[in-house]
Amino acid sequence: AIEVRGLHKSFGSLSVLRDISLSVREGEVVSVIGPSGSGKSTLARCICRLEKINAGEIYLYGKRTDGSSHSNRDIARLVGMIFQQFNLFPHLSVLDNLTLSPIRILGLSREEASENAMALLKRVGLEEKRNSRPSELSGGQCQRVAIARALAMNPKIMLFDEPTSALDPELVGEVLDVIAGLVDSGMTMMIITHEMMFAKEVSDRVLFMAEGNIVEQGHPKKIFSCPELPRTQLFLQRML
Ligand code: ATP
Ligand code: MG
């Protein structure tokens, strides 16, 4: 579903991603872990084309997404991205947050979009909040709305960039539960996270990044219980 080959990305003279190659199969759940500044967010942003890349190739379902052959609109349909900050439209109700893009970009009627939106709100347990504004919700509720909003575009891939890092500890669980539900539904996902226990539970594969490289990867059991590299061991010791 995702194929990255020889990806390089720099900001000015700072080389942030150095020759990254990876692939994520349809239905696979891949977690990305690694120290701050190792390039995890930049990798996710490159994959969903929020950043221009300096070299390499990125394919989503066989379509090359770097370069100009595909519009951002096509990418927006394929990939749903969830950030640490929820980025909801503050002036819109929860329901309107979910229906805006499906109406404008997918061309759904208001009725269809609302029907889908209500089903998604039910899925994240927030039907009764449909008329609330984001400012009236807790952080955990906002993030669940953000996930529902991404799903409303019917993406084939979901990318999560530290979806629970901005939340109070007691709100983390409800968001992880929603993500775990997506895992069960067979969604193709890439999850950047500091929640090691969660990564261990839900991932098919874990990538460990350091200094712009994927330095180690494997089954979560292997990465978390017997990592090969000393730097992976050191990172995990600090995290667990
Ligand atoms: P964290 O765990 O703290 O989120 P990360 O692994 O996601 O870290 P990135 O956000 O990808 O790391 O950043 C990698 C490097 O790229 C950092 O040194 C960062 O300062 C730099 N960087 C990221 N975005 C930009 C930008 N827009 N302009 C300049 N430098 C940037
Ligand atoms: Mg980051």
Side-chain angles (χ1 to χ4, degrees):
I2 307 176
E3 178 89 39
V4 175
R5 292 187 203 146
L7 168 59
H8 287 259
K9 171 69 188 170
S10 345
F11 292 106
S13 60
L14 180 70
S15 188
V16 175
L17 298 175
R18 311 160 191 233
D19 197 20
I20 298 270
S21 293
L22 66 91
S23 59
V24 178
R25 293 188 312 275
E26 167 112 50
E28 197 178 18
V29 178
V30 172
S31 293
V32 181
I33 61 173
S36 184
S38 56
K40 305 180 299 295
S41 294
T42 305
L43 174 60
R45 292 172 57 82
C46 288
I47 290 174
C48 66
R49 228 175 82 154
L50 291 170
E51 299 283 355
K52 282 210 156 98
I53 68 177
N54 297 99
E57 295 159 23
I58 300 176
Y59 298 87
L60 298 179
Y61 284 87
K63 288 186 191 174
R64 189 159 174 183
T65 65
D66 54 295
S68 56
S69 56
H70 286 279
S71 65
N72 287 327
R73 197 165 269 212
D74 289 334
I75 305 302
R77 287 183 187 193
L78 272 179
V79 187
M81 179 137 183
I82 298 294
F83 303 91
Q84 193 173 328
Q85 298 304 336
F86 331 114
N87 304 326
L88 296 174
F89 306 117
H91 56 293
L92 296 181
S93 70
V94 164
L95 189 66
D96 289 342
N97 264 275
L98 266 68
T99 56
L100 184 73
S101 293
I103 291 172
R104 285 215 189 144
I105 298 180
L106 302 182
L108 297 193
S109 68
R110 182 163 295 280
E111 293 67 39
E112 279 176 294
S114 297
E115 208 171 291
N116 291 346
M118 286 311 296
L120 288 167
L121 286 177
K122 187 170 182 187
R123 193 160 159 191
V124 301
L126 290 173
E127 281 167 296
E128 76 285 8
K129 297 291 185 188
R130 63 182 175 276
N131 294 319
S132 302
R133 298 286 167 110
S135 59
E136 297 163 334
L137 304 179
S138 72
Q141 291 171 337
C142 283
Q143 193 61 298
R144 283 147 66 199
V145 171
I147 293 170
R149 184 179 62 174
L151 292 172
M153 293 298 285
N154 207 10
K156 290 185 158 226
I157 299 166
M158 288 284 282
L159 291 184
F160 292 88
D161 188 358
E162 301 196 28
T164 60
S165 299
L167 301 177
D168 292 337
E170 72 270 22
L171 302 178
V172 168
E174 64 190 56
V175 173
L176 294 182
D177 285 347
V178 167
I179 299 173
L182 281 177
V183 172
D184 292 339
S185 77
M187 176 69 80
T188 307
M189 306 210 273
M190 188 160 149
I191 309 172
I192 299 168
T193 186
H194 289 299
E195 297 288 335
M196 297 297 144
M197 288 304 151
F198 183 72
K200 189 174 177 178
E201 238 168 74
V202 303
S203 321
D204 298 308
R205 192 149 48 95
V206 177
L207 309 182
F208 175 65
M209 283 185 70
E211 289 162 20
N213 292 300
I214 297 169
V215 295
E216 183 164 357
Q217 63 173 296
H219 193 273
K221 273 194 190 132
K222 176 183 168 288
I223 296 290
F224 289 112
S225 39
C226 45
E228 277 172 21
L229 298 179
R231 69 186 314 168
T232 316
Q233 289 165 10
L234 195 67
F235 173 77
L236 289 172
Q237 269 167 26
R238 289 194 184 135
M239 292 301 296
L240 295 173

